[in-house]
Amino acid sequence: MDTVFLAETMGKLLAGLPLTIELAIISISAGAVLATILALFRATSPIAEAIVRGYVFTLRGTPLLLQIFLIYYGLGQFAEVRHSILWPFLRQPYWCAILALTINTSAYGSEIIRGGLQSVPAGAIEAGRAAGMSRLLLTRRIVLPIAIRQALPAYGNEMIAMVKATSLASIVTLMEVSGIAYAIISETYRAIEVFLCAGAIYLTLNFLLTRGLAVLERWLNPHLVQSRT
Amino acid sequence: MDFDAYFQLIGFGPKGWGALLLQAAAMTLAVSASAFAASLVFGTLGAWAKLSGVRAAAVASETYTTVLRGIPDLLVIYLFYFGGSSVMTAIGHMMGHEGFLGLNGFTVGTLAVGVVAGAYQTEALRGAFLSIPKGELEAARAVGMGRLLMLRRIIAPRTLRFALPSMGNVWQQVLKESALVSVTGLAELMRQMHVAAGSTRMPFDFYITGFLIYLALTTLSGFGFRAAEVHTMRPERRS
């Protein structure tokens, strides 16, 4: 094995790591906020439920790549879009990728959070109400903390899926880790070595994410941690 | 949106792309089905290795599922597409063939999507095998079934039945991931949409059409899997 080539490739690939992390962090956080809003909105009325259900259904039933293309290439077909104030954003692959990733993860995330919301015991909500909490305070202090704690393991899987999904941004010209990997492969045709390096980067990233989530889970569930006495 | 022009564009008239789009949809289904079949093979081997009790096999299978579930599918497709070509060319040289040999998009799609989905399939099949009641296996052994007969009559049908819901999820995933195979140039739905969008300069019309076709494919096959689930679960139902 050619260690010089491997080290060189690793160096080039690591230059794309900040963009990969940036795409992942922005779309995961924005997606989580949107997902929470969708899950809470869904519970407000039957019409709201139908809207959110349709949103989730269409986004989970189609490939992410197509969603990115629809936003990046598709929207530009309309003169109204090209002349709107959003065009400076929508013409850039960076914002299109973030928008598509965010919308996509919000659909999966809202279902996970909905499951979490359903697991909040009715008694906890009643107790909050009996103590005179307003709806907002109740949501912030009682409902969301319990729901998030329940939803975290499943949401962790979604986050890992998103880290992997950022690689699709390379197809709309963004030079993150996969984009650079593709460029090196098509230049050198040494697919196996490049794959090893890029794969190691993504695996490390996902490993760290899994570890971090495990710590967070333990911190959110102090009552489940057994004291070692 | 001008609907008359739109339907002419995606229709079957002289200027319509309808026939090509249908062909492309069929190609998407074909490559997905073939990748799904491959995933069953990889998944069966993976689950068998994990359950075999042989330490080396279990470690190998564990590595397989961890790695393939932790790296982007796009990279796996690149590996098979470019790596496969160089391996094929090397084999060709050994056998006296000069020049470049490539793997075609269909083979790459089948293997790459199949090997990724196989990692998920491994877990589905392993879980399903573990949920077969122990008594059934003991009963089979007690009536003197050989290992192969037991596999064919008891283990395989029971595992498939319990794994069906997870296999439905893997199928949906395979169907959506097949869109990534478009990077190899295989004329499946995603690729054909891109070509049509480029040559007509009507990207939105085509991508939204592709969106609806994928939605129809995932929804209809979802119904199919659910029907199969209901069908195979019949003997399990209690009043």
Side-chain angles (χ1 to χ4, degrees), chain B residues 30-81:
Chain B
V31 75
S32 303
S34 142
F36 186 75
S39 81
L40 277 177
V41 174
F42 291 122
T44 308
L45 290 176
W48 183 31
K50 276 195 186 185
L51 294 164
S52 65
V54 181
R55 220 183 118 74
V59 170
S61 181
E62 193 64 46
T63 313
Y64 163 58
T65 53
T66 312
V67 170
L68 269 295
R69 289 192 300 177
I71 54 176
D73 318 324
L74 192 58
L75 284 179
V76 182
I77 292 177
Y78 289 155
L79 175 73
F80 278 85
Y81 188 48

Side-chain angles (χ1 to χ4, degrees), chain A residues 34 38 50-60 102-103 106-107:
Chain A
L34 190 55
L38 284 168
I51 294 172
V52 176
R53 200 183 270 216
Y55 177 87
V56 170
F57 168 74
T58 47
L59 289 168
R60 291 209 302 187
T102 303
I103 290 177
S106 75

Side-chain angles (χ1 to χ4, degrees), chain A residues 151-171:
Chain A
L152 194 67
Y155 216 103
N157 289 338
E158 175 56 23
M159 288 182 193
I160 290 171
M162 282 313 286
V163 170
K164 288 161 59 180
T166 57
S167 67
L168 296 194
S170 66
I171 298 185

Side-chain angles (χ1 to χ4, degrees), chain A residues 57-58 60-63 65-66 69-70 73-74 77-78 108 164 167-168 170-171 182 185 191 195 198-199 202 206, chain B residues 69-72 74-75 78-79 82-83 120 176 179-180 190 194 202-205 207-208 210-211 214-215 218-219:
Chain A
F57 168 74
T58 47
R60 291 209 302 187
T62 50
L65 185 61
L66 186 54
F69 276 26
L70 194 60
Y73 295 109
Q77 182 181 325
F78 302 105
Y108 289 89
K164 288 161 59 180
S167 67
L168 296 194
S170 66
I171 298 185
Y182 179 76
I185 293 175
F195 174 81
Y202 281 103
N206 279 329
Chain B
R69 289 192 300 177
I71 54 176
L74 192 58
L75 284 179
Y78 289 155
L79 175 73
F82 293 104
Y120 294 89
K176 287 186 276 173
L180 296 186
M190 188 74 218
H194 198 56
M202 299 295 265
F204 187 82
D205 292 21
Y207 290 135
I208 202 76
F211 202 83
Y214 273 112
L215 205 54
T218 49
T219 310

